[in-house]
């Protein structure tokens, strides 16, 4: 991946809503709370998804799975012991702020 925004990718998950889209994030401590939607064919960033009001203290993994009858992105933060959940956006375009973020403590 030739992009300065993703400097320490940690975790990779395939979208259940958007064919050919993968999600990743940076693993660096105290990074921005961004999930990157990337093209699975050429690894180009399609969109930067800001999870608000989530914080990235030490995001370690990402997954995509069901949440009711919808599809959600799950991000695990090992430092704060939180699991963030947000619904996958209906459209992947430019940069977006996803505001319906649920945080659950895992301790």
């Amino acid at each position: 991946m030739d992009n300065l925004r993703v400097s320490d990718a940690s975790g990779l998950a395939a979208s259940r809503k958007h064919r050919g889209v993968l999600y990743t994030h940076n693993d660096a401590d105290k990074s921005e709370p961004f999930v990157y939607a990337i093209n699975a064919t050429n690894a180009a960033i399609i969109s930067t998804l800001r999870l608000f009001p989530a914080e990235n203290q030490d995001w370690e993994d990402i997954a995509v799975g069901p949440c009711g009858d919808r599809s959600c992105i799950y991000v695990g933060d090992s430092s704060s012991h939180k699991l963030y959940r947000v619904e996958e956006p209906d459209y992947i375009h430019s940069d977006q702020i996803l505001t319906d973020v649920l945080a659950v403590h895992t301790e």
Side-chain angles (χ1 to χ4, degrees), residues 40-57:
T41 303
N42 62 15
I45 293 179
I46 302 166
S47 179
T48 300
L49 309 174
R50 169 132 174 30
L51 277 56
F52 182 82
E55 295 179 19
N56 181 351
Q57 291 184 17

Side-chain angles (χ1 to χ4, degrees), residues 12-15 18-24 35-41 46:
L12 190 66
S15 172
H18 308 287
R19 183 182 175 115
V21 173
L22 301 172
Y23 298 112
T24 192
V35 169
Y36 299 96
I38 60 175
N39 182 307
T41 303
I46 302 166

Side-chain angles (χ1 to χ4, degrees), residues 27-32 56-58 79:
D27 182 29
D29 288 342
K30 307 284 192 263
S31 291
E32 296 292 335
N56 181 351
Q57 291 184 17
D58 192 12
S79 181

Side-chain angles (χ1 to χ4, degrees), residues 3-105:
N3 193 295
L4 297 177
R5 289 184 282 178
V6 181
S7 59
D8 190 13
S10 178
L12 190 66
S15 172
R16 293 168 44 112
K17 272 180 122 170
H18 308 287
R19 183 182 175 115
V21 173
L22 301 172
Y23 298 112
T24 192
H25 58 81
N26 281 316
D27 182 29
D29 288 342
K30 307 284 192 263
S31 291
E32 296 292 335
F34 297 152
V35 169
Y36 299 96
I38 60 175
N39 182 307
T41 303
N42 62 15
I45 293 179
I46 302 166
S47 179
T48 300
L49 309 174
R50 169 132 174 30
L51 277 56
F52 182 82
E55 295 179 19
N56 181 351
Q57 291 184 17
D58 192 12
W59 287 6
E60 288 295 337
D61 207 358
I62 188 167
V64 176
C67 53
D69 60 350
R70 302 171 313 218
S71 179
C72 285
I73 301 168
Y74 297 88
V75 179
D77 190 316
S78 65
S79 181
S80 67
H81 304 285
K82 288 183 183 175
L83 178 65
Y84 293 105
R85 182 188 83 186
V86 65
E87 187 176 346
E88 279 195 80
D90 289 329
Y91 303 98
I92 299 290
H93 57 82
S94 62
D95 295 344
Q96 303 177 53
I97 299 173
L98 305 180
T99 58
D100 193 18
V101 177
L102 174 69
V104 177
H105 281 276

